[in-house]
Amino acid sequence: MTRSAMIGLLVLLSLPSNASAQSCVANPVAVQILGSGGPAINRERASTSYLLWVGAEAKILVDMGGGAFFRFGQSQAKLGDLSMVAISHLHPDHVSDLPALLWLSHRARKDPLPIVGPSGNDVAPDFPTFLGRLFDAKNGAFQVLGPTLGATQGEMGGGVRLDVGVVDVTKTEPSIVFDRQGVTVTAMGIPHGNIPTLAYRVQTRDVSVVFSSDQTGTNPRFVEFAKGASVLVMHLAIAAGAISPLHASPAVVGRVAQDAGVGRLIVSHIGQFDLEPAIAELKKFYTGALTIGADLQCTSVP
């Protein structure tokens, strides 16, 4: 090995990382963060993605942002165990690794994979149209993944067949998107600028987990949607004292969690700012159990 190559290797080995895999299989129900970061480059955080484990199997995958494909492998989750994939919205930091997950997925799974996403508007396509633009066998960006939408499986790959669902984000009442195998998933539209976005609530084994995704926290119906959840995952995307048309402030995150009366709040999608003042601002309004998210972290759901 050349001297320059050796130096490069030593530099890579010396880079700090918070990504220490924790086993989720010993818990009746657990939330695992695959990606705890946002859209900006962060050497310690992949972009947004979560797994909900039930027993020894990862059953629900929520979002698949950049780096989440690698984290999925590190988690030792199996594609064949998934009951469904839930996509909150179509910003790249929430969905860009979906093609990577699906490529060669037919080798790991034979049954169709349920997948759900939001309706569209004038700035974002509805979820089935989005998938068609990616995977259509004749006109998609990844034509080799045409079998995910029903084309004939090719020699070089093609991916598992998707069972596609879409939820109208303008509906005021939650929609049931999955109800099988002792797992019930409901979805509800939430405000995230002009991008159609869904939050998801998963009920299983007498516990519930709510995945908030990106939102401003200005819809009071979300508090009802998250009411009494065992665990609520919310996004801490902006600094203390900051305001955004896309994201809730730390104070609003704390207030929503407190008003919903959740058992534990996990903050994720953490932006690149001074975290300590943001947590202090959040704690002015939220007095319950709190977990600051990190990649591959596993939290048992009581």
Side-chain angles (χ1 to χ4, degrees):
M1 181 180 292
T2 66
R3 182 173 182 273
S4 60
M6 179 66 75
I7 292 173
L9 178 60
L10 290 173
V11 168
L12 286 173
L13 292 175
S14 67
L15 289 176
S17 176
N18 290 331
S20 177
Q22 301 176 23
S23 175
C24 285
V25 300
N27 303 286
V29 182
V31 175
Q32 185 167 31
I33 300 175
L34 299 184
S36 61
I41 293 173
N42 187 326
R43 66 181 182 178
E44 295 185 350
R45 299 182 188 273
S47 291
T48 309
S49 186
Y50 307 101
L51 285 172
L52 183 75
W53 291 76
V54 180
E57 296 182 345
K59 303 303 291 184
I60 307 295
L61 173 63
V62 180
D63 285 345
M64 199 67 188
F69 176 60
F70 175 53
R71 297 291 194 221
F72 187 90
Q74 288 180 305
S75 76
Q76 300 184 53
K78 297 178 181 178
L79 193 74
D81 290 339
L82 289 178
S83 293
M84 71 167 294
V85 177
I87 299 299
S88 65
H89 64 290
L90 303 184
H91 276 154
D93 58 316
H94 291 256
V95 76
S96 62
D97 265 15
L98 183 60
L101 179 73
L102 295 176
W103 179 237
L104 303 183
S105 57
H106 61 292
R107 296 183 181 178
R109 182 187 184 102
K110 301 307 178 185
D111 295 334
L113 177 61
I115 187 168
V116 177
S119 57
N121 61 10
D122 58 349
V123 298
D126 63 54
F127 191 53
T129 299
F130 171 78
L131 293 177
R133 291 176 181 177
L134 283 178
F135 305 138
D136 183 82
K138 293 184 177 180
N139 301 306
F142 299 99
Q143 295 179 29
V144 290
L145 279 166
T148 62
L149 300 181
T152 302
Q153 198 70 249
E155 294 182 1
M156 299 301 294
V160 67
R161 175 69 182 266
L162 297 176
D163 180 5
V164 181
V166 61
V167 176
D168 183 353
V169 301
T170 67
K171 288 182 63 175
T172 57
E173 296 300 321
S175 301
I176 296 176
V177 296
F178 186 89
D179 190 10
R180 281 178 266 167
Q181 306 161 353
V183 178
T184 302
V185 184
T186 55
M188 189 185 81
I190 49 175
H192 180 43
N194 60 355
I195 298 297
T197 304
L198 295 170
Y200 291 93
R201 181 172 182 136
V202 186
Q203 189 84 27
T204 186
R205 294 192 177 183
D206 298 321
V207 298
S208 53
V209 179
V210 174
F211 297 92
S212 157
S213 193
D214 296 349
Q215 64 159 306
T216 57
T218 55
N219 182 357
R221 288 185 177 273
F222 178 75
V223 172
E224 293 302 315
F225 183 73
K227 184 72 72 174
S230 308
V231 171
L232 168 62
V233 182
M234 288 198 73
H235 289 175
L236 196 66
I238 60 176
I243 57 174
S244 166
L246 297 176
H247 297 284
S249 68
V252 170
V253 171
R255 190 157 47 240
V256 168
Q258 187 73 20
D259 291 347
V262 300
R264 174 173 294 276
L265 171 64
I266 299 175
V267 291
S268 186
H269 196 279
I270 296 171
Q272 295 179 329
F273 49 78
D274 191 348
L275 189 56
E276 187 173 340
I279 295 298
E281 182 178 295
L282 184 155
K283 286 184 174 180
K284 291 179 181 178
F285 301 90
Y286 175 70
T287 58
L290 175 66
T291 297
I292 300 172
D295 285 19
L296 297 176
Q297 179 186 81
C298 190
T299 301
S300 178
V301 182

